[in-house]
Amino acid sequence: GNPKGVMISHGAVNNTLLWLQDEFNLTESDVVAQKTSSSFTDSVWEFFWTLMAGAKMIIIPEDIVKDPIRLYQKFKEEHITVTQFVPALLRVFLEVVKAAGEKDPLPSLRWSFNGGEALPVELVQEWYKIFRCARIANIYGMTESAIYATCNKIDIGSHENENTVPLGTPIANTHVYIMDDSGREAGFNTHGQICIGGKGVTSGYWKQPELTEGAFIRHPETGERLYCTGDLGCLRPDGIFEYLGRRDEQVQVR
């Protein structure tokens, strides 16, 4: 795709950071792995949530990030407590941890956030076979929603009988809707496009008004401005959102 500048306010980012603190309670004793490129959205919380909470930040060089064996060793040496992965990297990382054969690997690790692509159930199951204390959270969002929009804090054994890992529920001050092709809210368990509103939504794309116009709609009843993600999903009767793929032919390269 073509690069685009997403205009996000400080207030929108702050909303996400405050939600993270409420949900995961970072303290001065935590050690955060800063391993995301500063040009990528998720690096924002690695830097600013850590600073906001007074936690310790370990900036991990790119060559180590790309080497799962050295990354595992770095996590052990620095006693990392909070990190994030895309599922593709998580898969090879778990292979390294499993091959090490340690009874209690990474005992300091508390949380691993996962996003960027669908999280397979088998990775969650493998995670809880390996780690005793560390939990995994499936967090969905994009730059246009100030990093995150929904969260699913996964408990051990909670997805043994499920085929997919749900996206969870909206984060603070965020509204998520499933909209049908006519631009109206779809019913429960009905496929539609995931659209996001609320405090974290971008005001648009820098100097690209046509692109901005094409990416947003108005809620037909409330008039709320919504960002259309291009992702498909559905809303379950229990209020949990499910991810069902893309509307277009979008693929991720490397």
Side-chain angles (χ1 to χ4, degrees):
N2 295 317
K4 54 186 181 292
V6 182
M7 297 187 289
I8 291 291
S9 70
H10 291 166
V13 172
N14 197 46
N15 180 72
T16 300
L17 297 178
L18 291 174
W19 167 80
L20 280 166
Q21 185 62 13
D22 286 342
E23 283 292 317
F24 300 99
N25 189 32
L26 205 64
T27 70
E28 294 180 3
S29 63
D30 278 300
V31 183
V32 175
Q34 199 294 301
K35 60 186 185 66
T36 307
S37 168
S38 60
S39 64
F40 187 61
T41 308
D42 285 22
S43 68
V44 173
W45 75 253
E46 289 179 341
F47 287 117
F48 294 104
W49 181 29
T50 308
L51 293 170
M52 182 178 74
K56 183 178 180 180
M57 181 195 307
I58 301 297
I59 300 176
I60 302 178
E62 185 178 1
D63 60 327
I64 294 180
V65 174
K66 292 181 177 180
D67 185 338
I69 296 176
R70 295 171 66 196
L71 182 62
Y72 177 46
Q73 293 299 323
K74 189 71 171 176
F75 274 27
K76 288 200 297 182
E77 292 169 5
E78 301 292 354
H79 305 288
I80 297 297
T81 65
V82 179
T83 188
Q84 63 179 331
F85 285 100
V86 294
L89 181 57
L90 177 63
R91 186 181 299 277
V92 294
F93 182 77
L94 289 181
E95 289 175 358
V96 167
V97 178
K98 189 176 181 180
E102 298 178 358
K103 291 184 178 180
D104 187 16
L106 304 180
S108 299
L109 188 62
R110 293 199 301 121
W111 283 104
S112 172
F113 301 158
N114 284 262
E117 57 192 54
L119 177 62
V121 171
E122 62 268 21
L123 279 186
V124 175
Q125 295 170 344
E126 190 68 19
W127 176 275
Y128 284 116
K129 289 178 183 177
I130 295 172
F131 295 107
R132 295 183 180 180
C133 299
R135 292 183 62 190
I136 190 170
N138 190 31
I139 312 186
Y140 167 81
M142 60 289 299
T143 308
E144 287 86 349
S145 65
I147 315 172
Y148 294 140
T150 67
C151 176
N152 177 12
K153 297 166 77 172
I154 304 171
D155 294 321
I156 185 170
S158 62
H159 294 85
E160 291 293 331
N161 299 317
E162 296 194 24
N163 295 321
T164 61
V165 178
L167 298 179
T169 56
I171 72 168
N173 303 307
T174 300
H175 310 136
V176 180
Y177 305 94
I178 304 297
M179 310 299 284
D180 62 23
D181 291 337
S182 66
R184 296 189 174 277
E185 281 193 66
F188 291 128
N189 296 325
T190 303
H191 295 192
Q193 182 175 195
I194 301 174
C195 296
I196 300 172
K199 191 170 184 177
V201 174
T202 174
S203 58
Y205 300 110
W206 177 249
K207 294 185 177 180
Q208 298 191 63
E210 293 182 0
L211 187 63
T212 299
E213 184 178 353
F216 294 86
I217 61 172
R218 292 283 179 181
H219 193 288
E221 297 180 7
T222 66
E224 181 181 9
R225 186 170 175 270
L226 306 176
Y227 169 66
C228 301
T229 66
D231 292 330
L232 296 174
C234 70
L235 175 61
R236 302 188 329 200
D238 60 2
I240 301 293
F241 287 89
E242 298 268 7
Y243 175 76
L244 301 173
R246 290 286 303 174
R247 293 186 69 192
D248 54 24
E249 299 292 331
Q250 184 186 79
V251 295
Q252 292 187 347
V253 179
R254 291 189 296 279

